[in-house]
Amino acid sequence: MFETLKKAPVDKIFALLGEFRADPRPEKMDLGIGVYKDASNNTPVMRAVTKVEQQMLDEQTTKTYVGVTGNRGYCDAVVDLIFGDSIDLDRVASVQAPGGTGSLWVIIQLLNRARPGGKVWISDPSWPNHWPMMELAGLNPQSYPYFDPETRQVRFEEMMAHLDQLGPDDIVLLHGCCHNPTGANLTPEQWDVVADSLKRTGAFPLIDLAYLGFGDGLETDAYGVRKIAQTCPEAMVGFSASKNFGLYRERAGVAIAIGKDKDQAAIVLSQMGNVIRASFSQSPDHGAEIVRRILTDKALRAEWEKELGEMRDHMLRNRQKLAASMRKQSNSDEFDFIAEHRGMFSLLGLSKEQVEKLKEEHGIYIIDDSRVNIAGVPEDNTDALAEALIGVTR
Ligand SMILES: Cc1ncc(COP(=O)(O)O)c(C=O)c1O
């Protein structure tokens, strides 16, 4: 059996983390893996999460199965968080899934049932897992222009020229906010244009929402996903609670479908349940129940929103400080985009060789496409980081 197999390609992000952990240099810096870090370089358990876990320990009396589509209160609370009262919730079907990746998995299995082997248009570049996930599901990944490495902005005209030509058999994958890896995002006006185009062409929007609240705030970050759901008759959203609740290893996500009406939503719900049953049967409950308790309790929710705001402010401060240090070190405004981007990442535009040099000479670990994790930037030491970054480019 196994003689037919070759070694699978390594996941470059987790491989880099392994190298970082093995590096003995005390001044080493991990700007690679996409997890939030506070000023002491720790990925904290959020305060509201710790409180709720204690509650659960005291109150939970059973660990029996929850059900195929998961914790209903959790799914409803997440749907409410994302959409508020922007759409008629009768159109919405939601199921619990293991993290953002698990949510996307359920969604693309369902899309492959609806449009077997269908084309999924993915931004160039995108989260490295999008492409192989589509292939594994039997869908046909393709790319659309998104990021201009010269200006470090969205190539919006080219993107739209591409999207405007699509049709009802096409699926368009959009990052709901905080684009990974570029940090370059659509403005509200640009979301309006994208939504109108999708409505006109009938192309199907699939939104990956892994960083809600990490950009400009919960409401502002939800603009795009709400606009699409309001404008297009159908859409799907893969939500992750990994980053905004700090629940990475608990695997809490929600797969959401917005249908034309209540009847369509019911059909899609039954299909998503059917996919889950045949894939992994049920999702882990712990993280989902934490999120449910936080979102449905006024005081806990306020505490969570406050800490999420602190995390966002930390990343914004890091952006401003690093951009200022880069301006000083490079004597130019070339890197001002770092302060303008939003979310946990920015793509710096360094070559693979320059990225390698950063690792070898300075112990600074970033992904080889030159994506930096802004949360990992040392707030009090941005000058040293900027000096190293500019050093390898000169
Ligand atoms: C764009 C994007 N989508 C989805 C995910 C998946 O997150 P999760 O860990 O919840 O599966 C990530 C995580 O890095 C991401 O960056």
Side-chain angles (χ1 to χ4, degrees), residues 269-290:
L269 179 67
S270 73
Q271 285 287 343
M272 290 196 290
N274 188 271
V275 165
I276 290 173
R277 184 68 177 135
S279 301
F280 44 85
S281 185
Q282 317 239 335
S283 301
D285 179 62
H286 189 73
E289 176 60 10
I290 291 170

Side-chain angles (χ1 to χ4, degrees), residues 111-113 115-120 137-141:
L111 292 176
N112 199 38
R113 286 183 177 183
R115 291 273 188 285
K119 279 191 185 145
V120 183
L139 288 162
N140 178 5

Side-chain angles (χ1 to χ4, degrees), residues 160-378:
M160 288 320 301
H162 193 91
L163 296 194
D164 282 341
Q165 288 175 9
L166 301 181
D169 285 337
D170 292 294
I171 298 159
V172 180
L173 176 54
L174 297 154
H175 295 226
C177 61
C178 307
H179 187 270
N180 179 7
T182 69
N185 298 296
L186 299 178
T187 63
E189 295 72 29
Q190 289 173 334
W191 275 110
D192 295 352
V193 175
V194 171
D196 285 343
S197 166
L198 292 168
K199 185 180 180 188
R200 202 169 49 247
T201 63
F204 183 91
L206 160 54
I207 301 181
D208 183 348
L209 191 59
Y211 297 91
L212 184 68
F214 264 38
D216 289 301
L218 287 165
E219 290 291 308
T220 316
D221 290 355
Y223 182 87
V225 62
R226 289 179 183 177
K227 184 72 194 185
I228 297 287
Q230 286 167 334
T231 311
C232 302
E234 301 173 345
M236 292 193 91
V237 181
F239 171 82
S240 168
S242 299
K243 324 279 162 156
N244 47 14
F245 286 84
L247 286 170
Y248 306 86
R249 64 174 66 168
E250 303 297 354
R251 314 306 300 137
V254 185
I256 301 166
I258 298 120
K260 286 193 178 76
D261 53 34
K262 195 175 176 174
D263 292 344
Q264 212 184 41
I267 293 171
V268 181
L269 179 67
S270 73
Q271 285 287 343
M272 290 196 290
N274 188 271
V275 165
I276 290 173
R277 184 68 177 135
S279 301
F280 44 85
S281 185
Q282 317 239 335
S283 301
D285 179 62
H286 189 73
E289 176 60 10
I290 291 170
V291 172
R292 185 195 70 77
R293 286 176 183 242
I294 291 174
L295 290 179
T296 56
D297 179 287
K298 215 170 159 199
L300 287 166
R301 182 170 178 143
E303 188 160 8
W304 167 70
E305 285 193 21
K306 183 166 180 288
E307 190 168 0
L308 182 63
E310 290 163 11
M311 291 157 73
R312 187 168 56 240
D313 288 347
H314 172 230
M315 291 184 280
L316 287 174
R317 260 194 328 274
N318 282 358
R319 286 191 176 281
Q320 279 148 11
K321 287 192 174 173
L322 182 59
S325 295
M326 294 296 274
R327 188 174 257 261
K328 206 162 61 186
Q329 295 288 338
S330 68
N331 245 323
S332 81
D333 59 6
E334 190 191 339
F335 293 92
D336 282 8
F337 67 88
I338 294 172
E340 289 152 24
H341 285 173
R342 283 295 178 274
M344 206 150 70
F345 307 110
S346 272
L347 205 58
L348 293 186
L350 307 183
S351 68
K352 284 196 167 50
E353 293 70 34
Q354 290 165 339
V355 169
E356 188 62 23
K357 227 169 149 187
L358 276 173
K359 182 174 78 181
E360 294 304 323
E361 293 178 9
H362 302 278
I364 295 172
Y365 287 72
I366 66 179
I367 310 291
D368 65 2
D369 61 3
S370 79
R371 182 194 85 171
V372 283
N373 177 0
I374 292 295
V377 164

Side-chain angles (χ1 to χ4, degrees), residues 8-13 15:
V10 290
D11 181 294
K12 62 182 181 182
I13 298 179

